[in-house]
Amino acid sequence: MRFFPVSLDALLVELANLDETLALFDALQQSPIAGVQEIVPAARTLLVHFRPSTVSREALAAQIATCNVSGKKREAGKLVEIPVHYNGEDLAAVAQELGISTDEVIRRHTGADYNVAFCGFAPGFAYLSGGAEFVVPRRSTPRTRIPAGAVALAGGFSGVYPQASPGGWQIIGVTDTKMWDLTRDEPALLQPGYRVRFVDVGPASADRIVVAAPVCPAVEPLTTNCLEIDSTGLQTLLQDLGRPGRAGQGVSASGAMDRGALRAANRAVGNAPATACLEVLMGGLSFTCRGQTVAAVTGAEAVVEVRTPSGQVLHPASYTPFHLQDGDRVSIAPPSAGLRNYVAIRGGFTKEFVLGSLSTDTLAQVGPEPLCAGQRLGFHARIGGAAVSVNEQPAFTMPRADQVITLDVVMGPRSDWFTPEAQALLAEQTWQVTPQSNRIGIRLLGEQTLKRAIEGELPSEGTTVGAIQVPPSGQPVLFLADHPLTGGYPVIGVVAPHHLDLAGQIPVNARVRFNPLGAFEPVHPAPAPADEIQN
């Protein structure tokens, strides 16, 4: 059992194999350690999120090290049968890789039960171990789109894609079974500990139903206490503090990119700090208020205009509450610094929660749809209640596209997968923010690339917001709020929690410099107190 740092509030525990990993996961679930907030299991690691104010990293490692997991296995769980049409694009290539016929691939794949080891990558995506025990490599060139229901293999795992997405697994078939359905009590069909049996149901029908992509919802029948959306700019989403604690279903927390700005907006209008706001990317949002309310705009430096029905034009200050009357039209200009604004409305919005949150996860496609022009977004009319704060201030100076922004970094958990020169280069070189960046992550470009000291594939392991993951190109990706729950590329370092909000405001073309808070080294469990040793 080895321990590696992951930012200042997470720890990566590495074990010898999958069985030991799942045994430790079960042990920590049955006997929780004070301060542990969430555990993300993977192929042979556990990512443990904890509160540093409750337990130190070294003390946490020491408590975990006392768990005896050698030789322990999970008890058999619920059995789920999945019908499969074995006509996948990679079926023949998989057979060739394994040195058997395609019929033999199907016979073995359906001939033994699989176990749900852990969930990740996307909501409802389960990593299935055991079964035929096929070991096949990922595709050398990932597909840009794998259809929902694709049954696929990679490494020693089988899996079923719950939704259409890019991916590098080898497709051997397809199922019509929904792996993720928010109308169910448990949206994820497969949970850790379940068993899976694949059933061959012959070739797929030529007239299979194709589900159309979701469209903007019809205009809601609201006439008062709503915002009539005139334009949304590049992207406007509902965001709150996310939905933590759902790693078992493959769902990451998501939430606002600048959590400090969201809390400040809510305090300014008298809401609870976690109330959902509108997150506006690069300005362009405009709406007309129906009813009366109090609003506030925080985050990026942008001009806010309020035009009354009589033609009067007002420019309320950022981080300051302002009153809206019926018919007032609000517009937010593109920011001169920063990237995202947050709009709070007193009382909050009337949308239904999805898995306990109003956050839109753009990768997992969980939560309310992005706002559309013509939409009416209801809000709760509230008179009285919490006081309105008028002293809010941004937590940092908003970054500009012509600046170099310094982000503190905790080296690890996989810094040793890179050469000493690459570890030094991470801090010495500035990295440009490319236009391919979004809520999932910031794609960075440097003159020199990060060279690896260890080649080969890294078994999938949990990832966290702020992780600096390095794909084979050697150009890093800085994971943000909508990052995948697990990943298969090594993480050289993680942005410290106190700079995550700043990272969420960095505009395209700005340059980033990473500031390591110390050299990389594994975490050493704290020694037991002297009185415990004597006893």
Side-chain angles (χ1 to χ4, degrees):
M1 193 181 299
R2 297 196 300 168
F3 304 90
F4 300 98
V6 184
S7 191
L8 299 175
D9 54 4
L11 179 73
L12 191 73
V13 186
E14 183 181 77
L15 296 107
N17 52 48
L18 178 61
D19 287 340
E20 286 192 6
T21 301
L22 298 181
L24 178 59
F25 176 66
D26 288 342
L28 294 176
Q29 293 289 94
Q30 293 166 11
S31 301
I33 296 175
V36 171
Q37 295 179 297
E38 186 169 34
I39 304 173
V40 182
R44 64 183 190 207
T45 59
L46 295 181
L47 176 62
V48 183
H49 295 272
F50 65 93
R51 290 191 301 273
S53 60
T54 302
V55 62
S56 71
R57 197 160 51 191
E58 291 74 18
L60 176 60
Q63 293 186 64
I64 293 174
T66 62
C67 297
N68 180 17
V69 298
S70 179
K72 293 186 178 181
K73 291 189 176 182
R74 280 181 164 174
E75 296 182 3
K78 174 183 175 182
L79 177 64
V80 178
E81 290 193 347
I82 299 178
V84 180
H85 305 287
Y86 284 95
N87 58 346
E89 300 173 52
D90 301 315
L91 180 60
V94 166
Q96 184 177 6
E97 173 73 25
L98 297 172
I100 57 179
S101 68
T102 56
D103 288 342
E104 182 67 7
V105 171
I106 297 170
R107 188 189 71 79
R108 293 190 192 180
H109 199 252
T110 56
D113 292 350
Y114 285 81
N115 299 307
V116 179
F118 56 94
C119 296
F121 173 69
F125 187 94
Y127 288 79
L128 309 177
S129 63
E133 297 186 343
F134 290 147
V135 178
V136 298
R138 290 180 172 87
R139 287 174 54 86
S140 56
T141 303
R143 288 186 170 90
T144 57
R145 186 181 187 277
I146 289 181
V151 179
L153 308 175
F157 295 101
S158 284
V160 183
Y161 280 76
Q163 62 193 32
S165 66
W169 288 37
Q170 307 273 9
I171 305 174
I172 62 172
V174 67
T175 180
D176 295 318
T177 302
K178 284 188 174 183
M179 310 308 295
W180 177 259
D181 186 352
L182 286 168
T183 64
R184 293 193 294 242
D185 291 338
E186 289 188 347
L189 179 67
L190 304 180
Q191 303 277 340
Y194 284 13
R195 294 175 296 142
V196 173
R197 181 175 300 157
F198 293 105
V199 179
D200 182 10
V201 292
S205 172
D207 58 353
R208 291 181 65 207
I209 297 173
V210 177
V211 179
V215 296
C216 188
V219 175
E220 294 140 288
L222 299 172
T223 56
T224 59
N225 300 327
C226 70
L227 307 182
E228 290 184 352
I229 307 301
D230 301 316
S231 64
T232 61
L234 191 61
Q235 183 185 67
T236 298
L237 307 171
L238 278 165
Q239 294 293 344
D240 51 28
L241 295 183
R243 46 183 70 84
R246 299 184 180 271
Q249 298 186 63
V251 180
S252 62
S254 186
M257 294 279 278
D258 185 345
R259 299 161 77 87
L262 177 133
R263 291 187 177 100
N266 279 315
R267 287 193 298 266
V269 300
N271 290 340
T275 305
C277 294
L278 300 182
E279 182 182 86
V280 186
L281 177 62
M282 297 179 66
L285 173 69
S286 64
F287 59 83
T288 301
C289 180
R290 297 302 178 195
Q292 297 185 28
T293 190
V294 176
V297 179
T298 61
E301 294 180 10
V303 174
V304 179
E305 178 183 284
V306 178
R307 186 177 294 272
T308 69
S310 64
Q312 184 182 11
V313 177
L314 307 172
H315 294 288
S318 185
Y319 286 81
T320 301
F322 55 93
H323 192 260
L324 290 178
Q325 301 279 4
D326 186 69
D328 286 351
R329 188 174 188 270
V330 179
S331 301
I332 301 177
S336 57
L339 198 60
R340 293 175 171 89
N341 288 105
Y342 293 84
V343 181
I345 297 295
R346 184 170 173 81
F349 298 104
T350 59
K351 281 282 188 179
E352 290 188 13
F353 283 68
V354 179
L355 298 180
S357 169
L358 283 181
S359 284
T360 299
D361 187 327
T362 58
L363 175 64
Q365 298 177 28
V366 175
E369 292 288 327
L371 264 62
C372 302
Q375 183 177 356
R376 290 173 181 159
L377 184 61
F379 60 83
H380 297 285
R382 198 173 80 188
I383 300 174
V388 173
S389 169
V390 294
N391 297 314
E392 295 299 322
Q393 295 293 328
F396 50 83
T397 302
M398 286 292 155
R400 301 177 185 272
D402 59 353
Q403 291 179 327
V404 176
I405 295 93
T406 300
L407 299 175
D408 290 344
V409 171
V410 176
M411 297 300 289
R414 297 300 181 185
S415 299
D416 57 347
W417 275 58
F418 298 87
T419 65
E421 293 78 14
Q423 295 182 46
L425 180 65
L426 178 72
E428 294 169 356
Q429 179 172 265
T430 59
W431 304 87
Q432 186 173 29
V433 176
T434 70
Q436 289 71 42
S437 304
N438 51 32
R439 280 183 52 88
I440 299 169
I442 298 175
R443 292 188 177 272
L444 299 167
L445 181 65
E447 291 185 5
Q448 301 181 63
T449 60
L450 301 176
K451 306 296 184 184
R452 281 170 55 165
I454 300 176
E455 298 299 330
E457 291 191 0
L458 177 71
S460 292
E461 55 190 31
T463 61
T464 186
V465 61
I468 305 168
Q469 190 183 73
V470 185
S473 67
Q475 301 287 3
V477 179
L478 170 54
F479 278 168
L480 298 177
D482 291 353
H483 67 89
L485 199 64
T486 59
Y489 296 133
V491 171
I492 191 171
V494 182
V495 172
H498 55 265
H499 275 169
L500 290 177
D501 286 355
L502 173 59
Q505 292 286 7
I506 299 176
V508 171
N509 293 326
R511 288 166 295 155
V512 172
R513 185 181 296 278
F514 294 114
N515 174 45
L517 296 179
F520 167 73
E521 61 176 287
V523 175
H524 303 289
D531 57 345
E532 290 187 16
I533 296 175
Q534 293 172 358
N535 294 336

